[in-house]
Amino acid sequence: MHIADCIEGCFQLMGGDFTNAGRASGDLKSMLAKLGVSQDVIRRASIAAFEAEMNVIIHAVAGTMHYTVNNEEVKIILTDMGPGIESIERAMQEGYSTAPDWVREMGWGAGMGLPNIKRNSDNLKIDSVVGEGTTLEIILYIRKEKTC
Amino acid sequence: MLKVSDIAGRLGLDIRVGGDLHTEVKGCYISDLLSDVMANAGDGDLWITLQTHPNIVAVAVIKGLSGIIITNGRSPEPDTVRKAESENVTILTTVMTTFDTAGLLYNMIK
């Protein structure tokens, strides 16, 4: 695989827009497949992106998902105008969630989102300010392949 | 090789949205928690659930599942059907419980 230039894209996300949830991550998945990125990276990137996309839809008013792909890495940055995370440490604990009941009835809000994102990324940075919003930077390294 | 159409036929499932019915079913995963499916379902699994809203289609696409079975006589929401049709995701329904569906499926797959 060889990517000539840096490929990038950006999606707008609306809080509460469950109907279109997964569109941004699905597009990212198709883009990575088109670029010939390995199946393992595609699988992990789309899971991490989708969980992060859901977090914006569940918790925030609005946000964006921006991605860049080059020969070294896939970088996905989610920025939202949301409530912010009071304790990142607690939010990273499996089973901890602040999602409302109606979201839980849909099968979300099991407290697995951020742990799933962490497990599937090579590097995860979280910046959050309560009352302002949250930024997630998800990085996956693309394994070097023999042929270009 | 077991295809989605083989399972639909043998279990008497209703085909609500027929995506690629010739897809090979590699296994099965059962959960009503979407992040659990995101974390633990395998590529090509058939997913048994009670959830009927459109996000189940997105989960199936992202995870590369072979299809979704909705049990207990529940129906996919109209938005779910539309989304599944545009994404080519198979949705099957049955009046059987999850337990009965899984029991029959287990004997076919394992």
Side-chain angles (χ1 to χ4, degrees):
Chain A
M1 183 200 92
H2 180 75
I3 300 166
D5 296 303
C6 178
I7 308 287
E8 62 180 323
C10 190
F11 303 93
Q12 303 294 323
L13 305 173
M14 288 302 293
D17 183 12
F18 284 86
T19 309
N20 289 310
R23 184 175 285 175
S25 315
D27 282 4
L28 172 64
K29 184 182 181 185
S30 314
M31 171 59 71
L32 294 176
K34 230 180 276 173
L35 290 170
V37 173
S38 75
Q39 285 299 319
D40 173 62
V41 172
I42 295 174
R43 187 184 59 79
R44 292 189 295 119
S46 40
I47 291 172
F50 186 39
E51 290 283 7
E53 183 182 350
M54 284 315 303
N55 278 347
V56 174
I57 289 164
I58 292 168
H59 297 284
V61 177
T64 56
M65 180 195 286
H66 179 263
Y67 69 84
T68 52
V69 188
N70 59 33
N71 285 309
E72 275 79 47
E73 63 182 30
V74 181
K75 187 193 280 185
I76 309 160
I77 297 174
L78 289 107
T79 307
D80 73 41
M81 290 181 284
I85 303 170
E86 280 190 29
S87 164
I88 291 173
E89 194 187 333
R90 269 198 294 169
M92 293 305 297
Q93 283 171 14
E94 195 115 6
Y96 178 83
S97 174
T98 57
D101 284 348
W102 67 272
V103 168
R104 292 174 198 247
E105 279 163 22
M106 294 176 74
W108 295 113
M112 297 178 73
L114 282 171
N116 275 355
I117 295 169
K118 174 119 183 111
R119 196 174 306 120
N120 285 289
S121 32
D122 292 319
N123 203 336
L124 170 66
K125 270 191 240 165
I126 306 174
D127 279 314
S128 192
V129 179
V130 173
E132 289 186 18
T134 301
T135 299
L136 250 65
E137 186 186 89
I138 299 163
I139 293 177
L140 291 95
Y141 301 118
I142 293 174
R143 308 281 174 267
K144 291 278 177 208
E145 287 171 27
K146 282 171 196 159
T147 50
C148 289
Chain B
M1 185 183 108
L2 206 53
K3 292 184 288 189
V4 176
S5 55
D6 299 332
I7 289 169
R10 284 186 32 201
L11 268 57
L13 308 174
D14 293 319
I15 300 169
R16 299 299 294 271
V17 180
D20 186 0
L21 294 169
H22 297 294
T23 304
E24 182 184 1
V25 176
K26 295 187 179 151
C28 175
Y29 197 74
I30 303 172
S31 185
D32 299 322
L33 289 178
L34 278 67
S35 288
D36 176 41
V37 178
M38 290 297 291
N40 298 311
D43 189 54
D45 277 0
L46 249 186
W47 173 24
I48 305 180
T49 186
L50 289 174
Q51 298 288 358
T52 59
H53 60 79
N55 294 172
I56 59 174
V57 176
V59 169
V61 170
I62 296 286
K63 291 292 289 184
L65 304 179
S66 51
I68 303 167
I69 304 177
I70 301 174
T71 55
N72 257 11
R74 293 185 179 217
S75 271
E77 293 173 12
D79 274 353
T80 309
V81 170
R82 276 193 289 275
K83 210 171 172 71
E85 283 168 348
S86 72
E87 298 281 358
N88 206 32
V89 168
T90 298
I91 298 185
L92 309 161
T93 58
T94 176
V95 292
M96 286 189 288
T97 62
T98 296
F99 177 76
D100 287 341
T101 311
L104 294 170
L105 198 51
Y106 188 89
N107 287 323
M108 285 181 77
I109 292 177
K110 289 287 178 178

